[in-house]
Amino acid sequence: MTPDRLVAMLLVIAVVAAWCRLWLWQRGAPVRSPSWRVAALAALQPVLAGALYLTLFAPSRQITADTLVIATEGAPRLIQTGTGETIVALPEAGAIPGAQREPDLATALRRHTAAAAIRIVGSGLVARDRPAAARMTVTYAAPSVPRGLVALTPPGPVAPGARFDVLARIEGGGSATLVDPAGRVVDTARPDADGNVVLHGVARVAGIALFGLRLTGGDTAAVPVVTVAAAPARAVILAGAPGPEVKFLRRWAADAGLTSQEQLAVGGGLALGEAPTTFAGYDLAVLDDRSWTALGGGARAALVQAVRGGMGLIVRLTGPVPHNWQVAGLATGGGASIVPLRLAPAAPSQAALDARRGPGSRDAPASLAAPLDEVPELSRVATTIGGIPLLRDARGTPFAAWRNVGRGRVAIVSLVDSFALVTSGNGDAYADLWSTLATTIGRAGSSGAGPGSETLAWAGQRTIVCDIPAAGATAVAPDGATTALLADPAARGCAGYWPRLPGWHRIAGGLRYIHAAGALPQVRAAERRDATLALVGDRAASIAGARGDDHAPSWRWFLLFLAAVGLTWWLERRRR
């Protein structure tokens, strides 16, 4: 029970008690008082109680505050306003009759100090005005989501030969196609029920490139890809017996630029190569199940300790394993048989596959590559692997999974004969498979271009740059102009940059693509819409036309209470 209700209940009881006292006093008095005197005293009791209650809990009064109607980009020319509403047009809005032009929302709020709420009309606030709106009560009737491309996430820096992913969201259906800088189709996919679509491509040599995203409706978008030369990573390969799987794995490591050390057991206690004395300096270790078992307890403990320090560990299964067989806590369900496995198509069409493979080289000419439909049937151990699925077959069955162990990762691969991809002319699929494993499981940062994604930036609009190596970093525009980055005091290592020209900018030693000011209009509109909707919270429920509550002064009720007390005392003490 709230205090005001408790006091009200006590005052009601006091009024009833006062009436009972008057009745008993009148009944037991030798000379009865006049009826008007008794009636006046009875009427004063609720007046006393009411005045005392209003003195303690003064009633609230509603104060109508001004509301600013903020016209943003896409706002209609004619905007209906109510009582106490003033229209303010931001620079992105068109011609609005009767609207006051303001350079930004913060300036508008400083000039209209009586405004307690804002009503946003149009596609929403840009990043410049959102901090000022965060402290206001916001109402926003969001327009419908525009059709076409409404979200795009380019890939982060990738290593040469690695696969990259392009994420997009499409409203209104259709399909999306990724094309390389030469205009050749790389991948085609249709969005899911939520409109999300993921397209895959392959980076070639180190440098910058502009891929393209095409939609069925005709929309196009530039997809910048930065390929960074990978720093040589150190890998160790241990095998319990020689064979084609180890042979092609060593060849892949050499082609991928890994500095590897190998040891192959040949039987009779003999081995080819030399095992490392410590695993601490390696970025990736690839073992099979037999070499994992032959390491012994001390060597396995040292290997797991290196994984906890950040190294990646991949264990290949070469045959059936017992139930609950595990590697550093990553267990398998056990498998007593070998079952067939077929990989999903590497590309949606033969032309897309040719574009991904590239022109070939002297050692691996494109003429020797197998067609799209000639992918061999592989084999895997019929076991389930606990952890996070990493690789799946055409039916969606995982044949590789991983888990975190300290700062490193451990993975188990149940694929037995991945080398058959190379011997059948599908060397690109083999390289993609092992590159995915090495990139995901290997030591973070060893490739020089870890997985990630880039945010979009437009000319004439502020963009945030983080992970700046030192203070005083600069940005170089395509025309050669140098601009000092403005450090953000609230976020260490981040700064703001206002690019003037579209194109490739060198920012703090890295490359960043800036889109033209009018590029991707649906993406920008959807971004403004979603960000503005995030500002609308429970605060809007407390207003109906921007109203606020305030308590009226209680001294008037206190004076009424004193007057009623004095009159009651005089009536009770009156002798005549």
Side-chain angles (χ1 to χ4, degrees):
M1 181 178 293
T2 58
D4 55 342
R5 293 186 178 181
L6 179 62
V7 172
M9 184 179 66
L10 294 176
L11 290 177
V12 170
I13 296 173
V15 170
V16 175
W19 284 344
C20 295
R21 185 188 68 85
L22 285 176
W23 179 74
L24 293 175
W25 172 54
Q26 184 71 359
R27 182 180 178 184
V31 181
R32 293 178 177 251
S33 297
S35 57
W36 66 267
R37 181 182 179 187
V38 176
L41 288 172
L44 283 172
Q45 304 308 313
V47 174
L48 284 170
L52 179 58
Y53 178 84
L54 293 176
T55 301
L56 298 176
F57 304 97
S60 60
R61 60 183 181 180
Q62 288 189 333
I63 301 177
T64 302
D66 293 340
T67 299
L68 287 184
V69 180
I70 309 299
T72 63
E73 185 175 347
R77 179 177 174 82
L78 298 178
I79 300 177
Q80 294 183 352
T81 58
T83 305
E85 292 186 336
T86 303
I87 302 179
V88 172
L90 296 179
E92 295 79 17
I96 309 295
Q100 302 178 14
R101 282 284 173 180
E102 298 291 353
D104 51 57
L105 181 59
T107 303
L109 294 178
R110 286 194 299 267
R111 293 177 178 175
H112 299 80
T113 56
I118 58 176
R119 178 164 66 91
I120 301 173
V121 180
S123 62
L125 298 175
V126 298
R128 174 200 63 216
D129 300 318
R130 292 167 200 159
R135 62 177 183 269
M136 302 293 294
T137 299
V138 180
T139 56
Y140 177 49
S144 59
V145 181
R147 296 177 63 87
L149 182 66
V150 296
L152 176 63
T153 305
V158 295
R163 190 181 74 169
F164 61 84
D165 299 333
V166 179
L167 285 69
R169 184 160 62 92
I170 303 171
E171 290 292 335
S175 62
T177 301
L178 182 67
V179 298
D180 64 7
R184 298 177 300 179
V185 175
V186 175
D187 195 7
T188 301
R190 298 188 66 87
D192 58 15
D194 297 328
N196 298 316
V197 63
V198 181
L199 300 169
H200 309 288
V202 177
R204 295 298 172 195
V205 297
I208 57 177
L210 277 182
F211 284 67
L213 181 64
R214 298 175 182 174
L215 303 185
T216 304
D219 293 345
T220 60
V223 180
V225 177
V226 179
T227 306
V228 182
R234 297 189 62 192
V236 56
I237 301 175
L238 304 180
E245 191 73 14
V246 182
K247 169 186 175 182
F248 287 105
L249 182 59
R250 295 171 58 192
R251 181 179 298 177
W252 165 81
D255 294 341
L258 276 68
T259 304
S260 62
Q261 182 174 350
E262 304 94 5
Q263 185 186 61
L264 284 74
V266 295
L270 300 178
L272 299 178
E274 183 179 355
T277 57
T278 178
F279 296 94
Y282 289 91
D283 302 309
L284 180 66
V286 183
L287 290 74
D288 58 16
D289 47 3
R290 288 177 290 184
S291 60
W292 169 260
T293 305
L295 281 177
R300 283 199 298 267
L303 183 59
V304 173
Q305 185 63 29
V307 172
R308 294 187 181 277
M311 186 187 74
L313 173 61
I314 301 174
V315 176
R316 301 184 297 106
L317 299 183
T318 60
V321 292
H323 188 66
N324 285 334
W325 187 84
Q326 64 175 356
V327 176
L330 182 60
T332 64
S337 61
I338 304 296
V339 297
L341 176 145
R342 187 170 294 277
L343 296 178
S349 63
Q350 183 63 46
L353 182 60
D354 294 339
R356 288 192 186 186
R357 287 172 171 172
S361 62
R362 178 179 300 178
D363 298 332
S367 59
L368 298 181
L372 178 64
D373 55 351
E374 292 186 8
V375 179
E377 186 178 76
L378 307 179
S379 303
R380 69 175 180 89
V381 179
T383 181
T384 57
I385 307 173
I388 304 173
L390 178 57
L391 297 174
R392 300 175 183 269
D393 62 6
R395 296 182 177 180
T397 304
F399 61 88
W402 65 276
R403 70 181 294 264
N404 287 314
V405 178
R407 293 189 297 171
R409 293 177 176 180
V410 173
I412 294 179
V413 183
S414 62
L415 185 61
V416 176
D417 52 356
S418 63
F419 69 91
L421 294 172
V422 183
T423 57
S424 63
N426 294 277
D428 56 311
Y430 179 87
D432 182 65
L433 185 149
W434 279 101
S435 295
T436 302
L437 284 168
T439 303
T440 307
I441 306 303
R443 187 185 302 272
S446 61
S447 64
S453 59
E454 283 287 347
T455 56
L456 299 178
W458 285 269
Q461 191 178 63
R462 182 191 66 176
T463 182
I464 303 298
V465 183
C466 291
D467 298 330
I468 298 177
T474 60
V476 181
D479 60 352
T482 302
T483 305
L485 299 180
L486 182 62
D488 186 354
R492 298 186 60 181
C494 295
Y497 175 51
W498 283 261
R500 298 179 297 102
L501 300 175
W504 289 99
H505 293 237
R506 184 171 295 277
I507 304 175
L511 291 170
R512 185 80 175 271
Y513 184 77
I514 305 299
H515 292 267
L520 307 178
Q522 294 95 331
V523 174
R524 298 184 64 178
E527 180 188 25
R528 291 192 300 269
R529 178 183 182 275
D530 295 341
T532 306
L533 282 175
L535 298 173
V536 181
D538 296 334
R539 295 169 297 173
S542 64
I543 65 165
R547 295 180 182 270
D549 292 337
D550 190 19
H551 291 283
S554 59
W555 62 269
R556 299 184 180 90
W557 306 110
F558 182 66
L559 292 180
L560 177 61
F561 174 75
L562 291 179
V565 167
L567 182 59
T568 303
W569 178 84
W570 180 76
L571 288 175
E572 289 194 359
R573 298 296 179 181
R574 187 171 180 270
R575 297 296 182 182
R576 294 178 58 185

